[in-house]
């Protein structure tokens, strides 16, 4: 027989489990084998302000060491959760891989941060925020397609196609990232 206390426990667990599944494991070291057998290691840690900090290394060289700011990860069936995470991709014409961090803000806006070690090891070379959705995919080797909605449609140095199909709907944006176009406005990081 199910008691009122048992029902309350089930309801509380249903609320707690999705909240704990929203965050990746802090401190877990991941390894990614990249082109020509290069192995990159990366880790997400919490800083003093409880924001995520991403570190990416190759052997003894630090490629990325950056705070991700208001970046929240989730998995499961929630809106946009399937696209959150950390990924490595190559772009045509550059040696080091770029790191793509897809996450959500506290207000559930999707965010894509692209880190390029040649531009900066501590801040994103490019950041895009969608109103309700943001999706990206590799359409062929070295080419990334990014699609999002909302007013954030200027990516300095890059060409963004925008379409306002419906008067009341947010603007639909599309960018084909087939080169490091964002480097046209930012020089390499000075060390």
């Amino acid at each position: 027989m199910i008691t009122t206390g048992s029902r309350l426990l089930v309801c509380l667990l249903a609320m707690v489990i999705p909240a704990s599944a929203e965050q990746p494991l802090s401190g877990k070291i991941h390894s990614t084998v990249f082109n020509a057998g290069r192995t990159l290691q990366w880790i997400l840690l919490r800083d003093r302000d409880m924001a995520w900090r991403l570190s990416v290394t190759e052997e003894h060289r630090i490629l990325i060491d950056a705070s991700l700011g208001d970046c929240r990860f989730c998995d499961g069936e929630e809106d946009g959760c399937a696209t959150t995470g950390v990924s490595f991709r190559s772009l045509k014409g550059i040696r080091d891989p770029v790191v793509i961090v897809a996450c959500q803000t506290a207000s559930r806006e999707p965010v894509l941060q692209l880190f390029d070690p040649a531009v900066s090891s501590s801040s994103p070379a490019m950041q895009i925020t969608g109103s309700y959705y943001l999706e990206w995919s590799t359409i062929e080797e070295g080419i990334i397609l990014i699609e999002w909605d909302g007013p954030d449609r200027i990516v300095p140095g890059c060409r963004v196609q925008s379409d306002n199909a419906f008067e009341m709907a947010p603007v639909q944006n599309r960018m084909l990232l087939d080169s490091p176009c964002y480097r046209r406005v930012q020089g390499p990081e000075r060390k």
Side-chain angles (χ1 to χ4, degrees):
M1 173 173 242
I2 298 176
T3 65
T4 304
S6 298
R7 286 187 190 128
L8 181 59
L9 179 62
V10 170
C11 290
L12 287 173
L13 285 174
M15 290 188 302
V16 171
I17 291 173
S20 65
E22 225 174 280
Q23 306 297 328
L25 295 175
S26 181
K28 182 178 178 188
I29 298 175
H30 302 269
S31 290
T32 301
V33 178
F34 205 67
N35 298 357
R38 294 174 67 184
T39 301
L40 304 177
Q41 291 188 318
W42 62 277
I43 187 170
L44 284 170
L45 296 171
R46 293 285 196 170
D47 64 17
R48 287 180 296 215
D49 300 325
M50 292 305 289
W52 287 110
R53 177 160 213 84
L54 173 67
S55 293
V56 179
T57 60
E58 181 179 28
E59 295 179 1
H60 299 290
R61 184 173 75 128
I62 295 174
L63 299 175
I64 304 293
D65 186 27
S67 174
L68 301 181
D70 182 20
C71 198
R72 297 166 188 229
F73 299 94
C74 59
D75 66 24
E77 302 299 319
E78 296 179 50
D79 284 344
C81 287
T83 61
T84 65
V86 177
S87 302
F88 296 83
R89 294 293 185 270
S90 61
L91 284 178
K92 288 183 178 180
I94 64 174
R95 181 180 101 63
D96 284 327
V98 294
V99 181
I100 297 172
V101 177
C103 58
Q104 296 178 351
T105 66
S107 59
R108 310 284 288 167
E109 294 174 316
V111 176
L112 181 138
Q113 297 179 47
L114 184 138
F115 292 90
D116 181 342
V119 174
S120 175
S121 63
S122 60
S123 60
M126 182 177 76
Q127 180 167 318
I128 298 171
T129 302
S131 293
Y132 301 102
Y133 84 92
L134 187 148
E135 296 176 352
W136 70 274
S137 60
T138 302
I139 58 172
E140 65 181 69
E141 186 64 34
I143 300 176
I144 299 168
L145 174 66
I146 305 170
E147 297 179 297
W148 71 99
D149 67 340
D152 185 12
R153 59 180 176 259
I154 297 173
V155 179
C158 299
R159 197 179 106 200
V160 175
Q161 296 175 338
S162 297
D163 182 30
N164 196 355
F166 303 104
E167 189 174 316
M168 298 302 288
V171 174
Q172 307 299 303
N173 306 293
R174 182 174 209 223
M175 180 173 65
L176 199 59
L177 193 59
D178 58 356
S179 68
C181 56
Y182 50 82
R183 285 186 180 177
R184 293 182 194 138
V185 293
Q186 300 174 342
E189 178 179 63
R190 307 231 188 269
K191 298 192 179 189

